Amino acid sequence: MNPQHQTLCIQMRDHLDAELAAHRVLVTLAERKQTELVRGDMEGFTTVLAQEQTALSEVNRLRQIRDRLVRALATVFNLPAGDLKLSLLIPRLADPLRAEIQQRQQDLKALLERLRLINDRNALLIRQGLGFVRDLLGALMGPGTGTDAGAYDRRGLGATSGATGRGNLVNIAG
């Protein structure tokens, strides 16, 4: 392996370490979001979202650098400029660095899968919370048909028509 290959491979290894660190931050933030969702602390959730935006910007920046490193390695190995992936380059690397880079790639894939699972759980918690709020508002305000059947107005008077059986506990128009 010539010095140029060695230098690019070392840069790729170090870069993958930086990506792993950035994704670990994202996993930590996603776990904190989950905690805030369960506690119902929307202020804390909003704070974590702001921190997550900063971490996502860093991950995006690192991804662009990795793409450039992959293109540089592909040029050195005389690979076509088609659909370049790190997994296509790993078999061409020298042994000591190949194993290190392959291990980091596997660690990154595992970390991304963990992040996906946490984000799926967070999305489920958000959907369930919104569904609960929608059902609660439906029970209080009615289905939104515009009728005030069975509702009480602000003066405590009942509506003139019979109850529909669902919602309309409060007449906010009265």
Side-chain angles (χ1 to χ4, degrees):
M1 177 181 284
N2 71 35
Q4 184 181 13
H5 293 91
Q6 180 94 11
T7 303
L8 283 172
C9 291
I10 290 171
Q11 286 177 354
M12 179 61 78
R13 182 195 61 200
D14 295 344
H15 178 75
L16 289 174
D17 286 339
E19 277 196 59
L20 280 166
H23 281 90
R24 283 186 185 111
V25 168
L26 280 178
V27 167
T28 301
L29 291 172
E31 289 170 342
R32 281 184 46 208
K33 276 194 319 189
Q34 189 173 24
T35 301
E36 301 300 335
L37 284 169
V38 170
R39 287 189 355 209
D41 182 5
M42 288 301 108
E43 185 176 321
F45 181 76
T46 305
T47 302
V48 174
L49 281 178
Q51 294 169 349
E52 188 179 47
Q53 290 304 315
T54 304
L56 285 171
S57 296
E58 177 65 10
V59 166
N60 187 37
R61 184 185 73 79
L62 290 171
R63 175 64 189 201
Q64 292 171 0
I65 293 170
R66 178 168 29 127
D67 289 343
R68 283 187 291 220
L69 283 170
V70 167
R71 282 194 304 273
L73 279 168
T75 302
V76 168
F77 291 125
N78 293 322
L79 292 175
D83 186 30
L84 295 176
K85 295 180 182 176
L86 182 59
S87 58
L88 298 173
L89 296 172
I90 289 176
R92 297 175 183 266
L93 303 177
D95 261 340
L97 288 173
R98 179 186 321 139
E100 291 179 36
I101 290 174
Q102 191 168 22
Q103 183 60 47
R104 282 164 177 80
Q105 182 191 32
Q106 291 170 353
D107 292 346
L108 189 57
K109 284 181 181 180
L111 197 59
L112 289 172
E113 179 62 21
R114 183 172 169 211
L115 181 61
R116 186 191 63 78
L117 290 172
I118 294 169
N119 282 334
D120 287 349
R121 274 186 255 140
N122 288 347
L124 178 65
L125 286 170
I126 290 169
R127 277 194 306 273
Q128 286 179 335
L130 290 174
F132 176 72
V133 169
R134 184 182 58 246
D135 291 345
L136 185 60
L137 286 174
L140 290 173
M141 304 301 295
T145 60
T147 62
D148 293 327
Y152 292 99
D153 60 15
R154 284 184 270 171
R155 295 169 298 218
L157 303 174
T160 55
S161 60
T164 62
R166 172 147 192 225
N168 296 337
L169 293 176
V170 178
N171 177 0
I172 60 172

